[in-house]
Amino acid sequence: MARKFCVGGNWKMNGDKQSIAEIAKTLTGATLDDNTEIVLGCPFIYLSYARELFPAKFNISAQNCYKVPKGAFTGEISPAMLKDVGANWVILGHSERRHVFGEADELIADKAAHALAEGLKVIACIGETLEEREAGKTEQVVATQMAAYAKTIKDWTNVVVAYEPVWAIGTGKTATPQQAQEVHAYLRKWLSENISKAVSDSLRIQYGGSVTAANCKELASQPDIDGFLVGGASLKPEFVEIINARK
């Protein structure tokens, strides 16, 4: 069975009510590929607002959550709270959470398992730094990150993996379609050998890292790339072209 293309927009710490309303107007007024699943990663405080603005075909996602339902964790948000305000996805393990906020593989994996148990769908991010790529450690790094997820995730049905080379996020540098495909193919092989062939065949793997209207079609044509996780461009009108990369 063909894997459904999935495009996520990660707005990061950007936006206000006015700009989100403008994004909603652009996206709801556009002709979008019905065969592409769309997930919008919104700042916590605008999740309810975004859910009210966007039709149901647009999935609303948080950009993070914690690993328990409630408690004395000042400043944290639980999956139960996300569901309560209409979010049905969450992005976890993004490189900024790993490298800016120091989140470890094990914590991210625990968050993912809890989010899934609470009924959220998860975009599980992985990726290597420039230093790791130049040292020839790309496969080792992504395998280690995937292994951490595999320790806590038993059912991969509601998981999308996002491969994001850290050196290509927000830098204007993009992995070539061939570089991206190589890592995606390696991940597919890793899944087959360490989880199951069924999961390897069905799990969607997105590419993230300076995806634009100019490069999205060639990236989307690669056999193991099943979508994108888009940062800056998801705040611009060109996001429509990225969603329609396979159209």
Side-chain angles (χ1 to χ4, degrees):
M1 193 173 76
R3 297 182 295 268
K4 186 169 185 174
F5 207 64
C6 180
V7 175
N10 179 12
W11 298 348
K12 306 190 180 185
M13 196 174 73
N14 294 296
D16 52 27
K17 283 190 170 182
Q18 182 181 340
S19 63
I20 292 169
E22 288 168 5
I23 293 166
K25 187 176 179 183
T26 298
L27 292 180
T28 55
T31 302
L32 302 175
D33 187 352
D34 290 335
N35 295 315
T36 295
E37 189 166 18
I38 304 165
V39 182
L40 302 175
C42 180
F44 284 135
I45 61 170
Y46 297 121
L47 286 168
S48 294
Y49 182 64
R51 184 64 287 167
E52 289 168 11
L53 280 180
F54 284 91
K57 72 174 181 178
F58 295 90
N59 297 285
I60 301 300
S61 173
Q63 300 171 16
N64 189 30
C65 67
Y66 199 49
K67 63 179 182 178
V68 294
K70 58 184 177 180
F73 303 101
T74 300
E76 289 295 334
I77 307 283
S78 73
M81 292 172 178
L82 297 179
K83 288 180 67 181
D84 193 41
V85 296
N88 56 341
W89 285 73
V90 63
I91 300 166
L92 294 171
H94 190 278
S95 67
E96 289 152 14
R97 298 304 312 176
R98 294 176 187 271
H99 299 289
V100 179
F101 299 100
E103 293 186 5
D105 292 347
E106 292 73 21
L107 172 62
I108 294 161
D110 286 344
K111 289 181 176 188
H114 179 60
L116 291 166
E118 290 287 299
L120 290 178
K121 295 183 178 181
V122 170
I123 295 178
C125 301
I126 60 172
E128 83 284 10
T129 64
L130 181 59
E131 292 75 19
E132 289 164 340
R133 172 166 278 271
E134 289 178 343
K137 293 181 178 177
T138 295
E139 292 184 357
Q140 177 187 330
V141 170
V142 297
T144 299
Q145 293 169 344
M146 284 300 300
Y149 284 122
K151 282 182 182 175
T152 64
I153 296 173
K154 303 309 171 197
D155 182 350
W156 293 81
T157 309
N158 291 321
V159 179
V160 172
V161 168
Y163 166 61
E164 298 193 301
V166 180
W167 48 272
I169 298 173
T171 62
K173 295 180 182 178
T174 314
T176 65
Q178 293 71 31
Q179 285 174 319
Q181 167 58 24
E182 280 174 14
V183 180
H184 281 239
Y186 170 75
L187 289 167
R188 199 79 62 197
K189 178 172 174 280
W190 186 93
L191 288 161
S192 185
E193 293 173 353
N194 293 276
I195 310 295
S196 71
K197 187 176 186 303
V199 169
S200 175
D201 289 344
S202 62
L203 184 72
R204 293 175 291 176
I205 307 175
Q206 297 173 317
Y207 170 75
S210 298
V211 177
T212 66
N215 60 27
C216 64
K217 284 194 177 293
E218 194 177 358
L219 285 162
S221 71
Q222 302 303 310
D224 290 301
I225 294 179
D226 305 312
F228 304 118
L229 185 57
V230 184
S234 69
L235 298 161
K236 302 172 184 174
E238 70 176 302
F239 190 48
V240 170
E241 293 178 62
I242 296 170
I243 291 169
N244 291 334
R246 281 231 178 130
K247 200 169 180 184

